[in-house]
Amino acid sequence: MIRVVCVIYGVHVLRAIGPVMLFADTVALVLLTLTPLPVVSIMGGIRLTESEQIVQATSLLITVAGVLSWPIWFLLTCGSARLAWVHPSRSPLATDPAIRVAVSAWTAAIGAIVFGLALLPFTQPAQQLRASVEHDLRNGQVRRGLMTMSEHDREDFPPHWDPPPRVGYRENTPKLTEVLINLTHVQTRPWVVEIYREKLENQLVGRFASWNFWPRVDNESFDDVLTIVETHFVDTPHWENICLSLRQEVSPDSRRTPEQQTRVRRMLELAFPEEKWIADPGSPGEE
């Protein structure tokens, strides 16, 4: 674009850099304020997935670079505007009204756009597959969405794609517990299970995340979620922390049934055989 400005207005490259970069920088900063981004995790409240970490790091880098460089581009633009008064453009493209873009050039440009739009549906299969799965998951067709994912390899979807719910964006549709329960009723690929295992782990390991997760699980889903935890997290590095997060479920004011509290105590005894776990109203354990 700097070259285009130089040719059309007949100016030196140093005079074109300022306006072009000021426009680009401003557009980038405005779009960042309008684009949903992962929340910034503070004090271990939310653990982000790999794709969320990439998006967050990139957006922070662009924000910092854009804010710091914006005054520089603004001053260069002001200098270019001042020079324009002293040394007006001498480019015939900018000064001669008789010069027009040839019809053949317009035809070539429009033809390229039409041809590209016609090819678009056939050149983005990964994005179309992603959109189909996300539509099912967000519209109550969780099982169908999981089945579609399991019918394909991970490479059939866009790189670093993170299926909903995206906890780092504070998305709650579909509910993570609903997806986890459906995982036990659908023949799923290992990579699908791994994605949602990581999402559950991110919810349970954070010091404050686990304190907020279990109260949102109703009694009807509690046993299914415990089964998933026992199936996928026993003997993992986070097993003890996950069990500690369940201490609140055996407190005197717990709303869990006696059978469910007994099951939780068994999990705690398995993780900490030297402890005697009774009703404990204390806060969840430290990491």
Side-chain angles (χ1 to χ4, degrees), residues 53-67:
Q53 292 175 7
I54 293 174
V55 173
Q56 185 188 78
T58 303
S59 62
L60 289 176
L61 177 62
I62 294 175
T63 300
V64 172
V67 170

Side-chain angles (χ1 to χ4, degrees), residues 51-98:
S51 63
E52 291 168 347
Q53 292 175 7
I54 293 174
V55 173
Q56 185 188 78
T58 303
S59 62
L60 289 176
L61 177 62
I62 294 175
T63 300
V64 172
V67 170
L68 294 179
S69 63
W70 196 92
I72 299 175
W73 310 131
F74 179 76
L75 293 176
L76 288 177
T77 302
C78 292
S80 299
R82 185 175 182 277
L83 288 175
W85 288 97
V86 180
H87 303 287
S89 171
R90 297 180 180 180
S91 172
L93 292 176
T95 58
D96 189 350

Side-chain angles (χ1 to χ4, degrees), residues 195-265:
I195 285 179
Y196 285 100
R197 189 200 65 81
E198 181 184 4
K199 289 178 182 289
L200 178 60
E201 180 179 303
N202 292 342
Q203 285 283 283
L204 296 177
V205 174
R207 183 176 302 176
F208 302 108
S210 61
W211 184 248
N212 294 323
F213 175 79
W214 292 112
R216 296 198 300 267
V217 181
D218 56 49
N219 282 356
E220 294 181 358
S221 305
F222 189 73
D223 286 316
D224 290 327
V225 176
L226 285 183
T227 299
I228 295 171
V229 170
E230 292 174 330
T231 303
H232 297 289
F233 291 96
V234 174
D235 297 330
T236 64
H238 300 298
W239 170 243
E240 293 184 357
N241 290 326
I242 292 173
C243 288
L244 284 174
S245 71
L246 284 164
R247 288 204 308 175
Q248 58 190 318
E249 304 305 325
V250 294
S251 63
D253 58 347
S254 173
R255 58 190 176 92
R256 306 304 176 189
T257 65
E259 294 78 10
Q260 290 173 338
Q261 292 191 37
T262 299
R263 186 177 179 184
V264 171
R265 291 192 184 96

